[in-house]
């Protein structure tokens, strides 16, 4: 039986789809320029890259290889290998920012776009909003506005506790002052009575 042109195309299409299925996640899962500010992409474009502190140079294949070659963390912006490293969160649709590279893949979503948890095994929700960020911690969504209000609430509670403490101190001072005044009054009366009788 002879294969029709449609069957041959379908037979060729299935292996192509299967290969795409395995190829696309591996390409998307890790970019060598992960954690790098867009203005620094040109700096990391050459094959030999110098540490920003000038201490040494490293080849491009050692970029984000999870081994700290530069003391300042230049070679590991996308991993937590260097203690002084910084990871750039692009946060599309929101405010971009840097986080310490020790927060990369720590299973806490620090970037609102979730880019800092690319290899931690958790799926960070996109919490970026236009004009600001939402913070995501342990399954709770807390907006920065709510966070500020809760901090204000904590501050006002602290001030209230301090005011209560001050109230107690003021009452104690008034009582002590009253006792001193009463003591002096009685002491003067006793002295004046002794003078009259002598």
């Amino acid at each position: 039986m002879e294969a029709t042109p449609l069957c041959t195309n379908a037979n060729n299409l299935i292996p192509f789809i299967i290969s795409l299925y395995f190829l696309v996640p591996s390409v998307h899962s890790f970019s060598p320029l992960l954690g790098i500010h867009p203005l620094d992409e040109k700096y990391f474009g050459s094959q030999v890259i110098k540490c920003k502190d000038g201490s040494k140079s490293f080849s491009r294949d050692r970029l984000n290889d999870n081994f700290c070659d530069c003391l300042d963390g230049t070679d590991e912006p996308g991993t937590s290998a260097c203690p002084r490293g910084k990871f750039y969160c692009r946060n599309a649709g929101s405010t971009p920012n840097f986080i310490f590279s020790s927060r990369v893949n720590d299973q806490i979503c620090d970037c609102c776009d979730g880019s800092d948890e690319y290899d931690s095994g958790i799926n960070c929700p996109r919490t970026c909003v236009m004009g600001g960020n939402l913070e995501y911690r342990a399954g709770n969504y807390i907006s920065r506005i709510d966070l500020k209000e809760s901090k204000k609430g904590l501050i006002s509670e602290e001030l209230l506790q301090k005011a209560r403490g001050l109230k107690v101190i003021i009452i104690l001072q008034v009582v002590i002052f009253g006792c001193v005044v009463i003591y002096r009054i009685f002491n003067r009366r006793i002295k004046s009575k002794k003078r009259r009788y002598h």
Side-chain angles (χ1 to χ4, degrees), residues 164-178:
R164 287 180 186 152
L166 286 174
K167 183 178 174 183
V168 170
I169 290 172
I170 291 171
I171 291 171
L172 285 173
Q173 286 178 343
V174 168
V175 169
I176 291 171
F177 180 76

Side-chain angles (χ1 to χ4, degrees), residues 62-194:
R62 297 177 91 179
L63 180 66
N64 286 335
D65 65 349
N66 217 13
F67 183 80
C68 192
D69 298 305
C70 299
L71 294 176
D72 65 353
T74 305
D75 65 312
E76 297 298 319
T79 71
S80 58
C82 296
R84 294 184 185 168
K86 299 281 183 154
F87 181 88
Y88 180 72
C89 301
R90 292 183 185 263
N91 296 339
S94 188
T95 308
N97 65 324
F98 283 97
I99 61 170
F100 291 108
S101 63
S102 61
R103 295 181 174 179
V104 174
N105 293 321
D106 63 352
Q107 297 191 343
I108 297 174
C109 302
D110 298 297
C111 300
C112 69
D113 62 359
S115 59
D116 63 310
E117 298 302 316
Y118 63 90
D119 199 25
S120 68
I122 66 168
N123 187 12
C124 296
R126 282 192 48 82
T127 57
C128 297
V129 292
M130 200 57 108
N133 288 341
L134 290 176
E135 290 193 358
Y136 173 78
R137 295 273 192 270
N140 296 326
Y141 296 96
I142 304 171
S143 71
R144 291 230 169 152
I145 294 169
D146 291 342
L147 191 63
K148 287 178 185 175
E149 289 175 3
S150 67
K151 284 181 182 177
K152 286 179 185 176
L154 289 174
I155 291 171
S156 64
E157 286 180 19
E158 288 177 21
L159 289 175
L160 188 61
Q161 290 292 333
K162 287 180 182 179
R164 287 180 186 152
L166 286 174
K167 183 178 174 183
V168 170
I169 290 172
I170 291 171
I171 291 171
L172 285 173
Q173 286 178 343
V174 168
V175 169
I176 291 171
F177 180 76
C179 290
V180 168
V181 168
I182 292 171
Y183 173 76
R184 296 192 100 193
I185 290 172
F186 280 124
N187 196 15
R188 281 188 184 171
R189 281 189 181 175
I190 292 173
K191 285 183 181 179
S192 68
K193 283 183 182 180
K194 285 182 183 179

Side-chain angles (χ1 to χ4, degrees), residues 7-23:
C7 291
T8 343
N9 289 343
N11 289 337
N12 291 337
L13 188 62
I14 292 173
F16 178 72
I17 291 173
I18 291 172
S19 65
L20 276 180
Y21 176 77
F22 289 107
L23 181 65

